[in-house]
Amino acid sequence: MFNQKTAWITGASSGIGEALAVELARQGARLVLSARRETELQRVAKATGLPADAVLVLPLDVTDAADLAEKVQTVLARFGRVDYVFQNAGITQRSLVQDTDPVVYRRLMDVNFFGAVALTQAVLPQLLTQKSGHFVVTSSVAGKIGVKQRSGYCASKHALHGFFDSLRAEVANEGLRVTIVCPGYIRTPISSSALSASGEVYGKSDRAQEQGMPADECARRILKAVAAGREEIYVGGREIWGIYLKRFFPAILSKIIRNRRVEG
Ligand SMILES: NC(=O)c1ccc[n+]([C@@H]2O[C@H](COP(=O)([O-])OP(=O)(O)OC[C@H]3O[C@@H](n4cnc5c(N)ncnc54)[C@H](OP(=O)(O)O)[C@@H]3O)[C@@H](O)[C@H]2O)c1
């Protein structure tokens, strides 16, 4: 499925994006690795074991929309096409609404939502010309459910569903596909880079995260679902049942979430 295909991954310097890179390389893909930290991207490129001509380290900040059109040209100059775009870069939050500086909401939306929108708009003309291509978007269980201390994170992930469900409908007849991935707790460093109420880095890891599904298992499940052409998938432990509770018994889920204690 992924053999000889070009996959562009944002958020490739760590966690789920890093695990996707390693697994895609194992399955024969050529990779474009993007995130802000170039040294970490170089480390991941090495970990994939790919020869230099099959991997492009392309540092970028997804909030720098003006830069993205040029990055698309760099990818095309190297590989000639883009088959998969894994829109995976993201940051989270640990703060109550009453304490949160509005700047934190702007930042969460800029990275998690507008970053994905900007890259989509930059690369979409090429995928339409090719008449093929697949966007794989990392949302979250928090893209389906609102929980305490994640108001901006949940909002940004909910927004992804509206945008990418619309895009899927618009481009389905053009040969393009969209898969939205909703992970539960996955073992990655995401909570250490979370924003606190003032916008400072939270800098701690959470127990739920530490006990979550290993990132490599998450990546394998994502790729299986993408290969099967699934539109939306849930990956994680029993926390993903919250999505079904919300759908069928919303009052019960609301009570469970209300009674959960605040972290920190
Ligand atoms: N771990 C979980 O339990 C979990 C659950 C649900 C959803 N998710 C989602 O999964 C995705 C990956 O998160 P993760 O858990 O793997 O966390 P992670 O290890 O912290 O990875 C986040 C990645 O996003 C990149 N990134 C952050 N801001 C960026 C920016 N402005 N421009 C470009 N890249 C940026 C980071 O790289 P740089 O710092 O080098 O830029 C890093 O590679 C996120 O969208 C997250 O919301 C995670």
Side-chain angles (χ1 to χ4, degrees), residues 17-263:
E18 173 175 354
L20 282 168
V22 169
E23 186 57 27
L24 280 161
R26 209 186 58 77
Q27 297 191 32
R30 296 176 299 211
L31 298 179
V32 182
L33 303 179
S34 290
R36 292 164 302 175
R37 290 169 297 163
E38 185 169 2
T39 46
E40 291 304 303
L41 293 174
Q42 296 289 3
R43 177 187 61 75
V44 174
K46 207 167 165 197
T48 65
L50 287 175
D53 62 353
V55 56
L56 172 63
V57 167
L58 189 63
L60 57 79
D61 186 324
V62 291
T63 65
D64 188 357
D67 191 37
L68 293 177
E70 194 191 312
K71 300 292 185 197
V72 172
Q73 291 314 313
T74 307
V75 172
L76 295 179
R78 170 67 85 89
F79 293 124
R81 58 182 289 121
V82 182
D83 299 294
Y84 296 92
V85 186
F86 288 82
Q87 306 252 27
N88 171 76
I91 51 170
T92 188
Q93 164 197 23
R94 294 292 183 274
S95 58
L96 297 170
V97 174
Q98 67 196 36
D99 302 328
T100 302
D101 190 304
V103 166
V104 171
Y105 289 121
R106 297 246 168 234
R107 180 75 190 153
L108 287 160
M109 289 302 288
D110 273 347
V111 176
N112 295 354
F113 177 65
F114 289 113
V117 170
L119 182 57
T120 298
Q121 290 198 295
V123 78
L124 187 58
Q126 171 64 23
L127 301 197
L128 289 170
T129 304
Q130 292 173 188
K131 288 208 163 294
S132 73
H134 197 141
F135 291 101
V136 184
V137 185
T138 313
S139 171
S140 171
V141 170
K144 294 288 197 177
I145 293 169
V147 294
K148 291 178 185 176
Q149 293 176 291
R150 312 276 197 283
S151 50
Y153 181 70
C154 290
S156 68
K157 294 296 188 181
H158 274 68
L160 288 174
H161 288 260
F163 180 85
F164 282 100
D165 282 348
S166 299
L167 178 72
R168 184 191 295 114
E170 289 180 12
V171 299
N173 293 334
E174 309 295 326
L176 272 56
R177 300 282 170 265
V178 174
T179 298
I180 303 180
V181 179
C182 300
Y185 292 118
I186 311 298
R187 215 175 300 159
T188 74
I190 193 165
S191 58
S192 24
S193 65
L195 301 180
S196 59
S198 62
E200 300 282 300
V201 170
Y202 176 70
K204 284 188 260 178
S205 73
D206 287 347
R207 210 155 66 94
Q209 221 82 54
E210 283 166 7
Q211 294 174 345
M213 176 182 280
D216 56 354
E217 186 180 343
C218 174
R220 279 194 299 274
R221 290 200 193 188
I222 291 172
L223 296 184
K224 200 170 161 199
V226 170
R230 299 269 303 278
E231 292 191 351
E232 185 170 294
I233 59 153
Y234 313 135
V235 188
R238 64 185 182 146
E239 66 279 5
I240 66 173
W241 288 102
I243 295 174
Y244 297 102
L245 265 185
K246 165 97 178 183
R247 193 175 300 162
F248 299 113
F249 305 101
I252 295 177
L253 181 74
S254 178
K255 208 167 175 180
I256 293 171
I257 290 177
R258 194 183 316 157
N259 291 331
R260 280 175 70 176
R261 66 177 183 83
V262 167
E263 300 157 23

